[in-house]
Amino acid sequence: METRPELFEEVRLYKNPKERERYDNQANLFAIVSTLEHLEKAYIRDCIKPNEYTSACANLLAQYKIAFKLVESDFKTIEDFLKKFKVHFPIAVARIKEDRPITIKDDKSSSSKLIAQTVSLLITLMDKLRLEIKANDEIQPDLRELIDVMNRITNLPSDFDGKAKLQKWYSQLQQMSATDEIDENQSRNLLLDLDSILYAFNHGLF
């Protein structure tokens, strides 16, 4: 029997690194929306605790915003994206449009709302640092908003060390000009502090 080597070759969707990145970005977005759909169904079926759902949903919504920005040159809306790949995630789309977990009322003063905003801001800052965005005028505004939102959470202990860590970083950035950049070591240490704070919020360690 004749062997045809070409039949065993890997079939690639991309022809160059740019195309590969494009497909990777689309795959990431698909994974996030699909996960959000399954999370919503799990909550409806009472398979997940409300506090765990709220944290996970806030995480996914924050990740969605970053992921969609990377593909919005090809798709105007999330509906266009899903139509292109012939998939239907109606519950996830509804959650994306509301831009908040179903457990959170449309009330800016509620602790749940503020916690979700805190998680979202933490993830946004962490994503920026992972993308090697180090300019002061790109980091300081998000950090200032994060501190402001966290200070409005009434059930957050006054001795929660995450607040002190953020304030220390904010004070450092205030001493820099808008175009100054933090160095690699500072970026990694800030990312580590943000990650520890996110872990505390996700696991209720306060």
Side-chain angles (χ1 to χ4, degrees), residues 2 4 18 46-47 57 69 98 101 111 131-132 136 143 148 159 177 192-193:
E2 183 182 358
R4 298 176 61 187
K18 186 175 182 180
D46 201 24
C47 297
C57 186
K69 284 183 179 180
E98 287 193 21
S111 291
L131 292 171
E132 298 188 355
N136 187 23
L143 187 58
D148 177 61
D159 60 349
S177 66
L192 185 63
D193 283 343

Side-chain angles (χ1 to χ4, degrees), residues 10-183:
E10 179 183 359
V11 177
R12 294 186 177 182
L13 296 173
Y14 55 89
K15 297 179 180 178
N16 52 60
K18 186 175 182 180
E19 281 192 1
R20 178 176 182 175
E21 182 180 8
R22 179 186 176 192
Y23 285 120
D24 284 346
N25 290 338
Q26 292 176 4
N28 288 336
L29 178 60
F30 182 90
I32 291 169
V33 179
S34 175
T35 302
L36 182 57
E37 178 80 6
H38 286 87
L39 176 67
E40 293 294 311
K41 289 180 178 179
Y43 181 72
I44 291 171
R45 294 168 184 160
D46 201 24
C47 297
I48 184 173
K49 296 178 180 179
N51 62 321
E52 293 175 341
Y53 160 81
T54 301
S55 177
C57 186
N59 273 327
L60 288 169
L61 290 174
Q63 292 168 353
Y64 163 79
K65 292 174 184 178
I66 300 294
F68 190 77
K69 284 183 179 180
L70 298 176
V71 304
E72 63 183 355
S73 59
D74 295 319
F75 305 98
K76 292 183 179 180
T77 66
I78 186 60
E79 290 90 345
D80 291 340
F81 174 82
L82 296 176
K83 184 178 180 180
K84 167 72 174 180
F85 296 102
K86 299 179 181 180
V87 289
H88 192 51
F89 295 141
I91 309 177
V93 171
R95 187 62 42 231
I96 288 168
K97 289 185 177 298
E98 287 193 21
D99 194 28
R100 66 178 185 273
I102 197 172
T103 48
I104 296 177
K105 297 179 180 179
D106 191 10
D107 180 3
K108 293 183 179 179
S109 63
S110 72
S111 291
S112 295
K113 175 76 171 180
L114 295 172
I115 289 172
Q117 288 178 335
T118 298
V119 170
S120 178
L121 286 165
L122 282 166
I123 292 173
T124 297
L125 265 171
M126 292 169 71
D127 284 340
K128 283 187 174 182
L129 293 172
R130 288 181 177 126
L131 292 171
E132 298 188 355
I133 296 174
K134 302 175 182 177
N136 187 23
D137 59 356
E138 290 279 357
I139 299 173
Q140 188 180 146
D142 287 336
L143 187 58
R144 181 175 61 245
E145 184 178 1
L146 174 59
I147 293 171
D148 177 61
V149 171
M150 193 178 294
N151 284 336
R152 287 155 51 200
I153 301 176
T154 57
N155 62 335
L156 188 66
S158 58
D159 60 349
F160 176 58
D161 66 348
K163 296 172 68 174
K165 289 178 180 179
L166 294 179
Q167 192 59 54
K168 180 181 178 181
W169 281 108
Y170 183 63
S171 297
Q172 289 184 36
L173 293 176
Q174 283 186 305
Q175 304 303 314
M176 300 165 57
S177 66
T179 55
D180 284 345
E181 294 188 353
I182 59 175
D183 60 32

